[in-house]
Amino acid sequence: MKTPAALLLAGLTLGVALFCSAQSEPKPVWHKDWPTAQRIAKDVNKPIFAVLVCQH
């Protein structure tokens, strides 16, 4: 009887640990102009990931 309870406790502990360690990732913010992206990146102290798109 001890073994099923120990396994259940170990499973629940692992599940809670995985749930608590999951970090939510913020969605990226898209800017169409470079100066705005530079200003906001400087304000939040994060790098800019640039994607060049040809719009015509």
Side-chain angles (χ1 to χ4, degrees):
M1 191 65 164
K2 272 186 159 181
T3 303
L7 288 175
L8 178 64
L9 182 61
L12 287 174
T13 304
L14 180 63
V16 168
L18 289 175
F19 179 76
C20 291
S21 69
Q23 297 177 350
S24 61
E25 293 188 24
K27 291 186 178 183
V29 178
W30 298 96
H31 301 286
K32 291 189 177 186
D33 60 314
W34 184 250
T36 301
Q38 285 180 313
R39 186 183 76 248
I40 292 174
K42 185 178 178 183
D43 291 343
V44 296
N45 197 26
K46 290 195 175 183
I48 296 174
F49 179 75
V51 177
L52 304 177
V53 178
C54 179
Q55 296 179 349
H56 55 95

